Structure formats: C-alpha cells, structure tokens
C-alpha cells in the first residue's frame, strides 16, 4: 500500500509542474483584456482600429497571454509601466495573428532601456586577435530567451506606422526566425515545399537588396536588411507590416511569401499611399561658365 502511495505522490510531483502553468494560463485567458489596456492598443497601434472584430479579439487574447508569461525589466533606471508593456506586447503579437502559436515559447524576459544602449562586442582582427568593442543599439534579440529594446524607439515605431521602421516588429521577427533552430532567415514553415519556395524567393530578393545597398540605390526595404539573411527577414517583416502596398508593387513574390507566412494582409489596415508627385517641369536652360583654379 505504501508503495502505491509513493508512486502516486511521485506521479503527482512530476505532473504538477506541467499542469499548474496550463491551469493558470486557462484562468488568465478566461478573463478579457481590461478596458484600459484595450484603450492603450487603440491609442498606440494605429492599425488596431482598422482590424476586423475577430482579429482584434485575437490580438487581445494574445496580449493577455504575453503579459502573463513574459517578464519586463527596466534598465538604467527606467520603470516599465503597464502602458509600456501593453504597447510592446501589442506590436509583438501582431506577428502571431491567424497562426497556431504558443506566443514566443522560448522568450521569458524583455529588457527595456530608456533610449539606445551600448552593447559589448568582441571584434576579431587579423590573426584571430580578439579586441573588446562597443556598439550603440536600438534593440537586440538573444537566443537565451531575452529581447532588448530602446523605449524611445518603441515609441517612435508606434507613432509612425508607414515608414517601414519598427524595432518591436524587427526584434520579434528574429524570435520567430529562431524557432526553426537558429536565426538564418528561414523561420519554421512546416513543409519541405514551403522551404524550397521561401529559399528561392528570399535569396533572390536578398541579393537584389545587397546590390541596391552596394550602389546606394533607392529601395522599399531598408538597406540594413542586406547585412545577412536573418536581418533581411526582420527588415522585410517591418516592410510587410508598415509598407505593404509598396512591397506588393516592387517585391511581389516576396510579399506573396510573407502573406502565406503571416496569414494577414496589412493592406486591409492601411490606406493606400498617395501617388508620387509628378516630375517638375525642367527650368529654362541658362549657360554660365565655370572656372576652377
């Protein structure tokens, strides 16, 4: 009899760490997002108001889970308020709409600095000599379960939803990218055929962006995306959500791949951009000599 009791207690001790977090999550998700938190989304995520009621409900539920499971830590004296946490969570969870997800399962902590921060970097020089270095950063995504953000730049990204720059979308795209094992521009897609199409389209567009960056040509996507495939995916994600019309026009195949991956069409949330201004008429030609000495 005692052996059965000990077996039962052992089984219970093993099961509790798995059951209790799920039970707590179910209780949290049974409650709606508080009205004051939804008001924060309304004020700070411009596309929220243009979403369908179904998508808004999805986003609210995702935000509730995000806030329950993730820890926010203020750095350099910054106090992370409830409003700041909701703004970050709301933008991060846009990437998860219409997708089966556990809400960034590897992520546990978001570190928030008041503004850009300095990160230590080890630079490898000739002969393998390692020199300690420092670099100013707006955000970072680490594979140990942490994301680092500059609050000033989070705020800037929320204020302008049409410039293609959003540090939260960028860093959390890296988190999605890492779910396939490592951040290499190929997040978890589900099937070999999907990876083949993805690799062909993203590789071609990555090379085109590298070419435009090299020759300083205009591009819909920020040239920072030419750094490597992981940064290309993150920059393309920013572009997809903030400049969807331009991306669809100039990078149609890439936009189609992102439509399949993210399962939303941000064009439904944003008005079309104004048409480009017509070229100015040429001024009358006036010749004037120029001498150099």
């Amino acid at each position: 009899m005692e052996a059965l009791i000990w077996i039962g207690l052992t089984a219970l001790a093993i099961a509790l760490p798995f059951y209790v977090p799920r039970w707590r999550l179910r209780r949290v998700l049974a409650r709606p997002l508080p009205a004051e938190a939804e008001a924060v989304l309304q004020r700070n995520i411009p596309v929220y108001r243009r979403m369908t009621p179904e998508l808004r409900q999805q986003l609210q539920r995702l935000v509730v889970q995000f806030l329950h499971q993730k820890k926010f830590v203020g750095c350099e004296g910054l106090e992370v308020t409830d409003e700041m946490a909701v703004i970050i969570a709301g933008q991060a969870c846009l990437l998860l709409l219409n997708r089966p997800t556990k809400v960034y399962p590897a992520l546990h902590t978001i570190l928030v600095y008041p503004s850009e921060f300095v990160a230590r970097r080890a630079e490898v020089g000739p002969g393998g000599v390692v020199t300690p270095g420092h670099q100013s950063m707006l955000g970072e995504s680490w594979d140990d379960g942490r994301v680092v953000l500059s609050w000033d730049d989070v705020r800037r990204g929320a204020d302008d939803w049409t410039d293609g720059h959003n540090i939260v979308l960028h860093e959390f795209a890296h988190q999605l990218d890492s779910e396939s094992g490592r951040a290499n521009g190929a997040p978890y897609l589900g099937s070999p055929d999907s990876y083949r199409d993805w690799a062909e389209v993203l590789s071609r567009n990555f090379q085109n962006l590298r070419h435009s960056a090299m020759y300083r040509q205009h591009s819909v996507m920020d040239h920072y995306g030419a750094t490597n495939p992981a940064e290309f995916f993150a920059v393309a994600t920013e572009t997809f959500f903030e400049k969807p019309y331009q991306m669809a026009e100039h990078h149609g195949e890439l936009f189609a791949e992102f439509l399949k991956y993210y399962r939303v069409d941000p064009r439904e949330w944003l008005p079309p951009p104004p048409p480009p201004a017509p070229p100015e008429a040429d001024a009358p030609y006036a010749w004037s000599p120029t001498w150099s000495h």
Side-chain angles (χ1 to χ4, degrees), residues 15 21 25 42 45 74 76 92 97 100 117 123 130 149 190 199 243-244 262:
L25 179 59
Q42 296 243 18
I45 301 183
E76 294 184 350
L97 293 169
F117 52 93
E123 301 176 0
V130 178
L149 300 168
K243 294 175 135 182
Y262 281 117

Side-chain angles (χ1 to χ4, degrees), residues 117-135:
F117 52 93
V118 176
R120 295 179 180 177
R121 289 287 183 270
E123 301 176 0
V124 181
V129 177
V130 178
T131 305
H134 299 82
Q135 183 178 358

Side-chain angles (χ1 to χ4, degrees), residues 23-221:
W23 174 75
R24 287 175 176 168
L25 179 59
R26 283 199 298 269
R27 289 191 63 189
V28 168
L29 293 178
R31 299 190 293 269
L33 184 72
E36 57 270 24
E38 187 187 2
V40 171
L41 297 179
Q42 296 243 18
R43 289 194 304 269
N44 295 280
I45 301 183
V47 297
Y48 179 81
R49 294 185 292 271
R50 297 177 66 97
M51 290 180 180
T52 63
E54 292 77 14
L55 281 182
R56 286 201 299 268
Q57 289 176 4
Q58 270 194 56
L59 186 63
Q60 292 171 25
R61 184 179 176 87
L62 289 165
V63 167
V64 168
Q65 183 170 347
F66 190 103
L67 296 174
H68 170 68
Q69 294 179 324
K70 316 306 177 188
K71 179 181 180 181
F72 288 83
V73 177
C75 304
E76 294 184 350
L78 178 69
E79 179 183 352
V80 180
T81 65
D82 290 344
E83 179 170 350
M84 293 164 69
V86 170
I87 291 172
I88 292 170
Q91 294 182 67
C93 290
L94 284 175
L95 306 185
L96 307 178
L97 293 169
N98 285 343
R99 301 173 61 235
T101 178
K102 294 183 180 179
V103 185
Y104 304 107
L107 176 70
H108 52 74
T109 305
I110 298 95
L111 304 169
V112 188
Y113 283 81
S115 57
E116 70 175 37
F117 52 93
V118 176
R120 295 179 180 177
R121 289 287 183 270
E123 301 176 0
V124 181
V129 177
V130 178
T131 305
H134 299 82
Q135 183 178 358
S136 294
M137 306 285 290
L138 309 181
E140 277 192 302
S141 176
W142 296 343
D143 58 8
D144 65 354
R146 292 181 290 175
V147 163
V148 191
L149 300 168
S150 153
W151 173 247
D152 281 351
D153 291 278
V154 171
R155 180 79 267 171
R156 212 168 279 124
D159 288 343
D160 189 342
W161 208 265
T162 60
D163 64 353
H165 296 287
N166 186 298
I167 194 63
V168 177
L169 298 183
H170 185 103
E171 300 305 335
F172 280 87
H174 282 314
Q175 285 289 307
L176 294 178
D177 193 5
S178 298
E179 288 181 359
S180 62
R182 61 193 180 95
N184 58 4
Y188 178 73
L189 301 175
S191 71
D193 288 343
S194 297
Y195 280 105
R196 182 168 56 251
D197 296 341
W198 181 273
E200 290 177 0
V201 172
L202 267 75
S203 177
R204 184 163 53 250
N205 281 268
F206 174 59
Q207 295 302 329
N208 290 341
L209 186 61
R210 290 186 66 186
H211 182 274
S212 67
M214 183 181 300
Y215 293 99
R216 299 183 180 180
Q217 298 169 341
H218 172 74
S219 173
V220 172
M221 290 185 286

Side-chain angles (χ1 to χ4, degrees), residues 202-265:
L202 267 75
S203 177
R204 184 163 53 250
N205 281 268
F206 174 59
Q207 295 302 329
N208 290 341
L209 186 61
R210 290 186 66 186
H211 182 274
S212 67
M214 183 181 300
Y215 293 99
R216 299 183 180 180
Q217 298 169 341
H218 172 74
S219 173
V220 172
M221 290 185 286
D222 192 290
H223 285 161
Y224 184 65
T227 305
N228 56 53
E231 295 300 345
F232 179 80
F233 171 65
V235 167
T237 294
E238 294 177 85
T239 309
F240 176 77
F241 280 94
E242 294 208 349
K243 294 175 135 182
Y245 291 96
Q246 299 93 320
M247 188 178 184
E249 179 181 356
H250 297 282
H251 304 276
E253 288 183 315
L254 183 64
F255 185 78
E257 287 297 316
F258 275 66
L259 277 178
K260 288 188 289 185
Y261 177 69
Y262 281 117
R263 305 186 186 186
V264 293
D265 188 344

